[in-house]
Amino acid sequence: MHSLESEALINARPSTVWEVLTDAGNLTVWESGITAVDGELRNGGRVRFHTTGTGRRSIRVRVQQLPGRVMVWTARLPLGVSTTARTFTLAPADGMTSFHVKDEHRGLLHLLGGHTLRFANQSLADFVSAVKKRAELLDRL
């Protein structure tokens, strides 16, 4: 298994950060690295993303949530060849929000060559920074 992690302390309410993460219609507006979204980011939902660097290919993920606290996007290739999960965790922290994101890559493709699915190619730190910037902007309004 390969994993990557990034985190930030965001000067915004957890509800604002959650809204930034789950507002599929606006993910393409800010610097998320996502260029197109088809589907709703709700518990049990299935979403198709296009990201910078994927060209015409899309990534399909299944969404699991504990609303306002944890969301997981899971992408799988058949026969256990690859499973990638991106877990978003939010927690209140002295009037701010502790935001943590972890990508986990499992399966034969990852064992053989460290292969990652396309949505994991985006710098995780850049994504976290963009969420922070967006949430802090919206929380001031």
Side-chain angles (χ1 to χ4, degrees):
M1 176 178 73
H2 300 279
S3 66
L4 300 166
E5 297 182 60
S6 187
E7 59 189 345
L9 191 58
I10 300 175
N11 190 13
R13 293 168 293 174
S15 60
T16 302
V17 178
W18 187 257
E19 179 64 26
V20 167
L21 291 173
T22 58
D23 184 4
N26 279 317
L27 285 176
T28 60
V29 173
W30 50 280
E31 303 86 19
S32 67
I34 297 169
T35 58
V37 180
D38 182 22
E40 293 181 38
L41 289 165
R42 60 173 174 74
N43 194 38
R46 294 188 187 273
V47 180
R48 183 180 302 246
F49 293 107
H50 288 268
T51 63
T52 54
T54 60
R56 294 174 22 177
R57 288 187 177 163
S58 64
I59 299 118
R60 289 185 293 183
V61 302
R62 182 177 175 149
V63 180
Q64 295 173 292
Q65 294 180 349
L66 290 172
R69 296 177 46 204
V70 177
M71 178 167 54
V72 181
W73 297 350
T74 305
R76 289 188 168 87
L77 292 177
L79 305 172
V81 171
S82 173
T83 299
T84 299
R86 177 170 280 186
T87 304
F88 307 89
T89 306
L90 286 70
D94 295 325
M96 301 200 310
T97 303
S98 173
F99 178 52
H100 182 259
V101 183
K102 182 175 185 177
D103 280 354
E104 295 180 290
H105 311 279
R106 299 174 188 204
L108 187 59
L109 283 179
H110 304 291
L111 290 173
L112 293 175
H115 171 80
T116 58
L117 290 177
R118 298 281 185 195
F119 81 79
N121 286 343
Q122 177 192 351
S123 167
L124 203 54
D126 288 347
F127 179 83
V128 169
S129 178
V131 170
K132 175 180 172 65
K133 181 179 174 182
R134 178 80 172 166
E136 289 177 347
L137 174 71
L138 292 175
D139 211 54
R140 281 190 244 152
L141 299 178

